[in-house]
Amino acid sequence: MTKREICDTRRTFAYYSGLGGLEARYIEYGIDDFIYLVAGAWSSSKSYHKLKVHYGGKYDYIVFYGRRCRLSDFIRV
């Protein structure tokens, strides 16, 4: 399945209000954990992403276009 198909078949479970709005749709668990996101949630041009979840000493985060987004900053629905 493609990133778009995975995101379209899942419900949003968390939002991030920065960077034009990110909608977290699915977490793939394994040796490396990945999160599937829809970027540009509040605009007409949406893009679909699969990002690795990084586990740091102080907080967990993803890197989106070179910026760290803490998972604790996402708002659960």
Side-chain angles (χ1 to χ4, degrees):
M1 291 179 73
T2 65
K3 295 178 282 189
R4 183 177 185 147
E5 290 172 346
I6 290 172
C7 289
D8 286 342
T9 59
R10 309 286 184 181
R11 285 184 16 190
T12 301
F13 67 88
Y15 287 104
Y16 182 78
S17 61
L19 303 170
L22 301 176
E23 293 181 351
R25 296 287 180 103
Y26 179 67
I27 297 177
E28 181 181 299
Y29 296 101
I31 294 174
D32 291 325
D33 297 338
F34 293 95
I35 189 167
Y36 289 82
L37 299 171
V38 177
W42 299 294
S43 68
S44 60
S45 60
K46 295 182 180 182
S47 58
Y48 301 90
H49 303 272
K50 177 183 177 182
L51 303 172
K52 183 179 177 184
V53 178
H54 299 275
Y55 297 102
K58 294 184 179 178
Y59 55 86
D60 306 331
Y61 63 92
I62 57 171
V63 178
F64 184 71
Y65 288 120
R67 296 196 52 196
R68 288 185 181 181
C69 301
R70 292 182 181 185
L71 294 182
S72 62
D73 292 340
F74 279 75
I75 300 169
R76 284 194 57 105
V77 179

